[in-house]
């Protein structure tokens, strides 16, 4: 048997005066466009059996209704200060609701980057946006450079995220920034040397992209150019005094999803690796390497770009 609904912090036997309604976020997983709604908890009932709380909430859209207590998160008033949301660790609560809603609000304001303490989060806008003041991926690059050059310690920047989240773009911006800031000497010769080194290094890295993507990327249901492996990019500084000259770069790959070659997923939008699809399309052997329906119109033409990339990386095409 369940007692009658009572004020939110009281019970039928306590007889305390009802406090003011408290605000809360109500998790609404069946409403992906919102995920959380702000409600007021107006009363709480408790089961005689296990004593579990059964809050009644009012969302202002109709009659109050009862919800599972696990779906409620206390409302954080600091969330209303948009300046604090540039670094979400400033909020009083680090529950999922203020974190996700804070990221959403900044995304809607066309702000790509948000801090959560030492972590920088980027929400891919899928288009070029004007630069804005505030947190930026170059902040991470600058901190890494200072640690390597000023403190003489090797640094690691970990970039992770879902397929299509923008990891490659973030990595490229970090590399460009580190190379562009690679010297204390501001003389003209140093500037020219730095720009030449930057151009050469970026040119080589750029030239390797088609080859890396052909061998390691595949179309998935979420991303038509999904990287199916991890990349480790190493930049080497000369280490002479406090100089910041980048003298080399090295790219390693790991955790390649080899199972995709032999056991291709059958879901819609799933393809084998680009390189196999390119070979199949160019040879007219789609049925052998991949079902014709999974081949793209540009696969055959893309093979030429892949071949050029291999050659620029010093890999003879005839040796493949």
């Amino acid at each position: 048997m369940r007692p009658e609904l009572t004020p939110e912090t009281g019970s039928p036997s306590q007889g305390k005066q009802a406090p003011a309604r408290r605000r809360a976020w109500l998790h609404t997983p069946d409403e992906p466009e919102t995920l959380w709604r702000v409600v007021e908890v107006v009363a709480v009932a408790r089961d005689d059996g296990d004593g579990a709380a059964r809050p009644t909430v009012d969302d202002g859209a109709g009659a109050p209704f009862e919800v599972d207590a696990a779906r409620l998160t206390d409302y954080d008033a600091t969330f209303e200060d948009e300046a604090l949301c540039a670094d979400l660790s400033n909020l009083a609560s680090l529950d999922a609701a203020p974190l996700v809603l804070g990221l959403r609000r900044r995304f809607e304001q066309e702000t790509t980057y948000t801090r959560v303490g030492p972590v920088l989060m980027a929400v891919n806008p899928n288009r070029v946006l004007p630069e804005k003041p505030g947190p930026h991926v170059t902040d991470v690059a600058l901190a890494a450079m200072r640690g390597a050059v000023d403190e003489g310690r090797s640094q690691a920047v970990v970039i992770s995220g879902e397929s299509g989240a923008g990891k490659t773009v973030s990595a490229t911006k970090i590399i460009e920034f580190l190379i562009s800031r690679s010297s204390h000497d501001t003389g003209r010769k140093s500037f020219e040397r730095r720009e030449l080194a930057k151009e050469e290094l970026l040119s080589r890295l750029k030239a390797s992209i088609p080859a890396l993507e052909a061998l390691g990327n595949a179309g998935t249901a979420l991303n038509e150019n999904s990287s199916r492996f991890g990349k480790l990019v190493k930049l080497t500084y000369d280490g002479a005094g406090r100089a910041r000259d980048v003298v080399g770069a090295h790219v390693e790959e790991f955790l390649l999803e080899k199972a995709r070659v032999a056991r291709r997923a059958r879901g819609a939008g799933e393809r084998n690796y680009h390189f196999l699809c390119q070979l199949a399309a160019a040879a007219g052997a789609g049925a052998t390497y991949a079902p014709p329906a999974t081949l793209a119109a540009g696969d055959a033409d893309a093979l030429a770009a892949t071949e050029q990339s291999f050659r620029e990386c010093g890999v003879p095409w005839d040796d493949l």
Side-chain angles (χ1 to χ4, degrees):
M1 178 178 178
R2 176 178 296 173
E4 294 181 358
L5 291 179
T6 57
E8 188 258 317
T9 58
S11 70
S13 59
Q14 288 175 324
K16 293 183 178 180
Q17 184 177 1
R21 296 183 175 190
R22 70 177 177 92
R23 301 176 76 190
W25 276 299
L26 173 65
H27 189 208
T28 55
D30 55 334
E31 300 174 4
E33 293 300 320
T34 56
L35 283 180
W36 282 274
R37 278 187 284 158
V38 177
V39 299
E40 287 187 299
V41 180
V42 297
V44 174
R46 295 188 179 277
D47 288 324
D48 286 340
D50 57 9
R54 299 293 299 180
T56 295
V57 301
D58 183 358
D59 64 358
F65 54 96
E66 191 175 90
V67 299
D68 185 344
R71 294 175 57 193
L72 292 176
T73 300
D74 287 340
Y75 185 79
D76 179 6
T78 59
F79 173 78
E80 299 173 8
D81 188 338
E82 294 189 12
L84 288 179
C85 288
D87 185 343
L88 294 174
S89 66
N90 291 327
L91 301 182
S93 169
L94 291 181
D95 289 315
L99 289 178
V100 174
L101 294 177
L103 286 172
R104 169 179 288 174
R105 182 168 64 191
R106 289 177 63 78
F107 175 77
E108 292 172 347
Q109 296 170 345
E110 298 188 340
T111 302
T112 303
Y113 301 102
T114 303
R115 281 198 171 277
V116 185
V119 178
L120 182 70
M121 304 187 71
V123 181
N124 188 358
N126 292 309
R127 65 186 187 280
V128 178
L129 295 177
E131 297 290 346
K132 291 185 175 183
H136 197 276
V137 69
T138 55
D139 298 339
V140 177
L142 182 60
M145 184 181 69
R146 287 173 174 169
V149 177
D150 299 342
E151 301 176 17
R153 297 186 301 172
S154 296
Q155 304 290 303
V157 177
V158 179
I159 304 174
S160 64
E162 295 286 343
S163 178
K167 298 183 293 297
T168 300
V169 173
S170 294
T172 301
K173 288 185 176 182
I174 288 176
I175 292 171
E176 288 179 341
F177 178 84
L178 291 175
I179 295 174
S180 67
R181 296 289 295 270
S182 63
S183 180
H184 275 300
D185 187 354
T186 58
R188 180 174 180 81
K189 290 185 177 179
S190 176
F191 174 79
E192 293 175 349
R193 183 177 68 252
R194 188 166 66 250
E195 288 301 301
L196 181 61
K198 173 185 175 182
E199 182 179 347
E200 181 180 359
L201 188 53
L202 288 178
S203 176
R204 291 185 179 182
L205 289 173
K206 184 177 180 180
S208 69
I209 290 176
L212 288 172
E213 289 189 348
L215 294 174
N217 288 24
T220 68
L222 297 177
N223 182 3
E224 63 182 16
N225 190 34
S226 177
S227 177
R228 311 312 301 165
F229 68 107
K231 289 185 284 290
L232 176 63
V233 181
K234 295 182 180 180
L235 295 181
T236 305
Y237 287 82
D238 62 7
R242 291 170 60 85
R244 294 175 175 175
D245 289 328
V246 175
V247 295
H250 181 68
V251 180
E252 297 179 10
E253 71 284 342
F254 57 95
L255 296 178
L256 179 66
E257 186 189 18
K258 298 178 181 179
R260 181 171 287 267
V261 177
R263 298 189 297 275
R264 184 182 60 82
R266 300 297 177 182
E270 297 288 339
R271 290 177 15 123
N272 215 317
Y273 286 101
H274 294 332
F275 189 53
L276 295 180
C277 292
Q278 293 169 9
L279 290 174
T288 301
Y289 293 96
T294 67
L295 298 179
D299 280 336
D301 295 336
L303 186 62
T306 300
E307 178 181 354
Q308 180 64 24
S309 177
F310 276 115
R311 295 188 187 281
E312 293 184 13
C313 291
V315 180
W317 183 253
D318 296 336
D319 292 347
L320 294 176

